[in-house]
């Protein structure tokens, strides 16, 4: 009788893992685009390796820290909400257990079980762990696996850093006359890969995602390079 709930839990865990993986891909994509736009813009104004390295490192650190801080705040808020919902559910189970049993029965019936089977399943789940049963079925929360803001922050930091390293290394390592071609080619190849990966993780056709990703990167680098060239020509 508990098999539907178990199957949904497994599906939820898989969906959660896929969402984390997709977030990592998109975080790396942000690092690629933002850092590429920055270093290409600076390259439009100067070919000094030190200036390019300084700008790239500053952009990498600022972006990765910003991503980590934003993710920490966001996930902390989500975790606080989950804890509050669990506390409310715990109080309702203590104060009105019969009403909560009827609610769990109704929720299971809405998922396709007959009334009798839903009631029996609700009774068994309540006897085993009432809070966990309500948390998973009613709230979609696993009390044993609440979101962790530190994990999310580190994941965002590392994903952004990994993406940002590519344009940074591509702009400072080659000889001055090859920096821009190498950087542009490397960035577009990486954006095509992240676009394809994010589309596949979302079970979508990769063609449009790749075009959007590559097009956005071309636009970002083109605009910043033009601005850098104008500022360089003006002696700014």
């Amino acid at each position: 009788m508990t098999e539907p709930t178990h199957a949904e839990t497994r599906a939820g865990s898989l969906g959660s893992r896929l969402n984390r993986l997709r977030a990592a891909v998109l975080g790396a994509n942000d690092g690629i685009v933002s850092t590429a736009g920055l270093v290409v813009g600076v390259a439009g104004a100067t070919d000094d390796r030190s200036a390019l390295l300084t700008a790239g490192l500053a952009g990498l650190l600022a972006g990765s820290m910003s991503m980590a801080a934003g993710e920490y705040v966001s996930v902390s808020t989500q975790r606080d909400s989950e804890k509050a919902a669990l506390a409310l559910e715990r109080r309702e189970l203590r104060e009105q257990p019969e009403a909560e049993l009827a609610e769990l029965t109704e929720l299971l019936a809405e998922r396709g079980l007959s009334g009798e089977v839903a009631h029996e399943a609700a009774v068994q789940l309540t006897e085993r762990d009432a809070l966990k049963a309500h948390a998973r079925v009613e709230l979609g929360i696993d009390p044993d696996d609440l979101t962790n803001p530190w994990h999310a922050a580190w994941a965002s930091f590392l994903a952004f850093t990994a993406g940002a390293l590519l344009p940074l290394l591509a702009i400072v390592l080659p000889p001055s006359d090859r920096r821009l071609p190498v950087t542009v080619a490397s960035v577009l190849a990486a954006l095509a890969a992240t676009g394809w990966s994010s589309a596949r993780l979302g079970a979508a056709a990769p063609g449009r995602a790749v075009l959007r990703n590559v097009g956005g990167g071309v636009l970002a680098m083109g605009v910043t390079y033009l601005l850098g060239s104008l500022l360089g020509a003006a002696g700014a």
Side-chain angles (χ1 to χ4, degrees), residues 27 30-31 34-35 57-71 152-162 164:
D30 287 343
S34 61
T35 306
L57 284 175
L60 185 154
L61 290 174
S64 59
M65 293 298 294
S66 175
M67 289 281 289
E71 196 70 11
W154 275 111
S156 292
F157 179 90
L158 293 175
F160 187 97
T161 300

Side-chain angles (χ1 to χ4, degrees), residues 34-61:
S34 61
T35 306
L38 176 61
V39 296
V40 168
V42 175
T46 178
D47 61 356
D48 182 71
R49 192 186 302 268
S50 296
L52 292 170
L53 179 60
T54 300
L57 284 175
L60 185 154
L61 290 174

Side-chain angles (χ1 to χ4, degrees), residues 3-183:
E3 184 63 27
T5 302
H6 178 62
E8 288 169 4
T9 299
R10 288 189 302 171
S13 298
L14 177 60
S16 178
R17 288 195 297 270
L18 288 176
N19 283 335
R20 287 196 293 268
L21 185 55
R22 186 158 52 242
V25 171
L26 294 176
N29 190 82
D30 287 343
I32 294 169
V33 174
S34 61
T35 306
L38 176 61
V39 296
V40 168
V42 175
T46 178
D47 61 356
D48 182 71
R49 192 186 302 268
S50 296
L52 292 170
L53 179 60
T54 300
L57 284 175
L60 185 154
L61 290 174
S64 59
M65 293 298 294
S66 175
M67 289 281 289
E71 196 70 11
Y72 179 84
V73 170
S74 174
V75 175
S76 293
T77 300
Q78 179 183 343
R79 186 182 178 90
D80 291 344
S81 298
E82 291 174 345
K83 286 184 174 180
L86 289 173
L88 176 60
E89 196 65 40
R90 190 178 291 109
R91 189 179 74 230
E92 290 177 344
L93 285 168
R94 184 175 62 251
E95 296 177 354
Q96 43 189 10
E98 294 301 324
E100 289 300 298
L101 178 61
E103 182 181 35
L104 183 58
T105 300
E106 182 180 350
L107 290 170
L108 292 173
E110 290 176 355
R111 299 187 178 198
L113 299 179
S114 66
E116 182 179 349
V117 173
H119 178 71
E120 179 62 25
V123 170
Q124 291 187 23
L125 289 170
T126 298
E127 290 175 350
R128 183 176 301 173
D129 192 327
L131 178 61
K132 183 177 292 186
H134 279 268
R136 288 180 170 177
V137 177
E138 180 181 350
L139 305 175
I141 298 174
D142 185 351
D144 298 328
D145 188 26
L146 296 181
T147 53
N148 189 311
W150 283 109
H151 290 172
W154 275 111
S156 292
F157 179 90
L158 293 175
F160 187 97
T161 300
L165 280 173
L166 174 70
L168 175 58
L169 295 176
I171 201 73
V172 299
L173 293 181
S176 58
D177 59 335
R178 297 182 184 177
R179 284 173 186 163
L180 278 178
V182 169
T183 301

